C-alpha cells in the first residue's frame, strides 16, 4: 500500500459520502507510515465537508501545518465549504 493507493480509496469513500470510512483510512495511513500529502488531506477534508463534519474538517486543516503539508486553494475551499454547510460560517 502506498500514498496513491490510499488516496484513491479515500477519494472513493469521499465521493460515496462515506466520511467515517474515509477518515479511518486516512488515519490508518499514519499508522502504516504511509505519507499523507496535500491531495490526501484535501480528500479527507472534503469527505468531512460532505458529511457535515466541519469540526473534523478544520482539525485536519490545522493538522496540515503541524505536519508540514502544504495547503492549497482546494484545501481552503473545502474548509470554508465545510464551515458553510455546517452552519459555522
Amino acid at each position: 500500500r502506498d500514498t496513491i493507493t490510499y488516496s484513491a480509496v479515500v477519494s472513493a469513500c469521499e465521493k460515496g459520502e462515506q466520511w467515517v470510512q474515509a477518515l479511518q483510512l486516512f488515519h490508518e495511513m499514519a499508522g502504516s507510515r504511509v505519507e499523507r500529502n496535500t491531495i490526501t488531506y484535501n480528500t479527507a477534508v472534503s469527505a468531512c465537508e460532505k458529511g457535515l463534519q466541519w469540526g473534523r474538517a478544520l482539525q485536519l486543516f490545522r493538522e496540515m501545518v503541524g505536519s508540514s503539508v502544504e495547503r492549497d486553494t482546494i484545501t481552503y475551499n473545502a474548509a470554508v465549504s465545510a464551515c458553510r454547510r455546517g452552519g459555522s460560517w
Side-chain angles (χ1 to χ4, degrees):
R1 297 180 181 170
D2 61 7
T3 302
I4 294 170
T5 304
Y6 269 105
S7 294
V9 178
V10 171
S11 179
C13 291
E14 177 258 334
K15 287 176 179 30
E17 298 185 11
Q18 301 295 316
W19 69 270
V20 173
Q21 290 83 354
L23 288 184
Q24 285 174 343
L25 287 165
F26 179 80
H27 292 300
E28 183 181 303
M29 290 176 75
S32 298
R33 298 183 186 258
V34 176
E35 178 187 5
R36 298 185 295 182
N37 60 22
T38 301
I39 294 168
T40 311
Y41 269 96
N42 286 350
T43 304
V45 171
S46 183
C48 292
E49 179 257 329
K50 288 182 178 176
L52 303 177
Q53 300 295 313
W54 64 271
R56 292 177 196 268
L58 292 181
Q59 181 180 8
L60 291 171
F61 183 83
R62 286 189 298 269
E63 185 180 305
M64 291 176 81
V65 174
S67 299
S68 299
V69 176
E70 183 178 343
R71 295 180 285 187
D72 61 14
T73 303
I74 295 168
T75 315
Y76 285 96
N77 286 341
V80 168
S81 182
C83 292
R84 182 185 51 78
R85 288 189 69 191
S88 295
W89 191 265

